[in-house]
Every structure is written in structure tokens, then in C-alpha cells.
Amino acid sequence: MAQRRRQIVDASVNLFIEKGFHKTTTRQIAKASGISIGSLYEYIATKEDVLYLVCDAIHAEIERGVADALKRARNGRNPLAEVIREYFMVCHRMNDHILLIYQETQSLPNKYQRAVLENEIRITGIFTGVLAGLIESGDLPRISPRQLDLVAHNISVLGHMWTFRRWFLANHYSIDEYIDFQTRSILGMCRENAG
């Protein structure tokens, strides 16, 4: 079931980029997904549901990546650096998905807009939780809850910046260079605001 959803998501993203969200039909989504229109309606009721599935796919990928990064960090690696690296790599792999969400959210009904924004808050909450855990373990300097929240949002936005500015950034930096620079900046920001 998860594999079929991902099939629908990936096919839809490609169609939305090629034709535009409003010009893409559910019949085209079914065909591009390699399933019947009847089977498609087992997963979605409307085309707008697909955008929610795109959000859900991004969130699931980030959650898996962060869990993997934290496991790797048990082997002596910097936990925050591992989490940032994994998140930025997810943004790199799913850049079309992320760009699509930002481009099309404003044209969705209010309930779908709220769902997208709630998803963004949940993703940022992952970073808030990781940062709080690192502060408690002594792996990160103590910063105020307000600053912690801002750092979590910065991580989220910096990952998306690779998507929004890839037309420039990818011509001047490798993804690894971008990750290394941004990680040093985030760690420096935490140290500067410690107290």
C-alpha cells in the first residue's frame, strides 16, 4: 500500500510539473501511475488529496532519515550534523516534491492548506525534539526554548533553500559543500547563543 501511494505521488509530481496542477486530470495521474482510475480512487477522492500524499511522503522520508541519522550518531558522530545532513539530502532527493508543495498550496482549499502547514510544523518539531535531546545530553550548548525553536525553523528553511535556489546553488556548490557550510553555521549559531 505504501509503495502504491509513493507510485501515485511520484507520477503526480512529474505530471504537475509538466502540465501544471490545475491542468492535470485524475485520469492522467492513474495512467502515469500505472493503475486503473478505479484503483486510484481507493487512495484518493480528489486531485487535491494527491498534494496531501506528497506532503505525507516528504514527512515520512524525513522521519526515516532522521531516525537513521540518530542511529549513525551513536557511533560517535555529531548527532546534529548527522540529522542536518540527512534532512538536506532528503530535500535534495525530493526537491521537485517540495517545490510543488510550495507552488500549489495557495490554490488549495483551506482544509488542505492547513494540513500542509501542520505538516511543516511537524517536520520542524522533529528538529526541535532532536535539538532539545542534544541539549539535555550535553552534546549541544544550552539555549533558550525560544532560540531552540528558531534554530529548528532555520534548519527547516535552509533545507528548502537548496530546493528554491538550486538554479544558482547547484551551479556553485555540491550538495556536500552546502551541507557542510550550513551545518557549521547552525552549530556556530547555537554556540553564540548559549548561556
Side-chain angles (χ1 to χ4, degrees):
M1 189 168 217
Q3 182 180 352
R4 184 56 60 98
R5 276 197 182 107
R6 184 60 186 261
Q7 205 175 328
I8 294 167
V9 164
D10 291 342
S12 298
V13 168
N14 292 335
L15 283 170
F16 294 158
I17 289 168
E18 178 188 334
K19 298 176 180 296
F21 176 75
H22 296 290
K23 292 183 181 176
T24 301
T25 66
T26 51
R27 190 167 302 286
Q28 291 168 327
I29 291 170
K31 184 177 179 183
S33 301
I35 60 177
S36 71
I37 190 79
S39 293
L40 179 69
Y41 285 117
E42 291 176 23
Y43 297 93
I44 63 164
T46 67
K47 188 170 57 172
E48 286 79 8
D49 291 344
V50 176
L51 283 179
Y52 183 76
L53 288 179
V54 172
C55 278
D56 201 43
I58 294 167
H59 187 255
E61 188 96 5
I62 290 168
E63 282 187 325
R64 269 192 305 277
V66 168
D68 291 346
L70 290 173
K71 285 179 195 166
R72 286 194 305 271
R74 291 186 192 131
N75 297 329
R77 296 179 176 166
N78 180 316
L80 183 57
E82 284 296 311
V83 167
I84 291 169
R85 169 169 285 288
E86 189 60 40
Y87 170 63
F88 284 14
M89 290 304 292
V90 169
C91 290
H92 178 63
R93 286 191 306 271
M94 300 188 82
N95 60 48
D96 287 337
H97 296 66
I98 293 166
L99 191 58
L100 175 70
I101 290 301
Y102 274 91
Q103 289 173 336
E104 296 299 339
T105 298
Q106 80 282 354
S107 63
L108 293 174
N110 286 338
K111 74 174 187 171
Y112 289 106
Q113 287 182 17
R114 279 192 304 277
V116 169
L117 293 176
E118 287 168 8
N119 197 44
E120 283 295 312
I121 295 299
R122 281 199 326 265
I123 289 169
T124 302
I126 292 170
F127 304 127
T128 302
V130 169
L131 290 162
L134 293 173
I135 289 169
E136 286 305 309
S137 69
D139 291 320
L140 198 62
R142 188 159 298 280
I143 58 177
S144 73
R146 191 166 168 251
Q147 291 169 327
L148 182 134
D149 196 40
L150 186 56
V151 171
H153 280 275
N154 280 340
I155 293 168
S156 183
V157 169
L158 288 171
H160 291 173
M161 188 169 95
W162 180 258
T163 294
F164 300 140
R165 294 291 191 156
R166 69 182 174 206
W167 55 269
F168 175 83
L169 294 171
N171 290 322
H172 294 85
Y173 305 94
S174 70
I175 184 65
D176 290 323
E177 290 171 326
Y178 180 79
I179 291 169
D180 291 343
F181 178 82
Q182 297 297 7
T183 300
R184 284 194 311 273
S185 295
I186 292 164
L187 290 171
M189 184 179 4
C190 290
R191 285 187 204 103
E192 284 176 22
N193 291 299

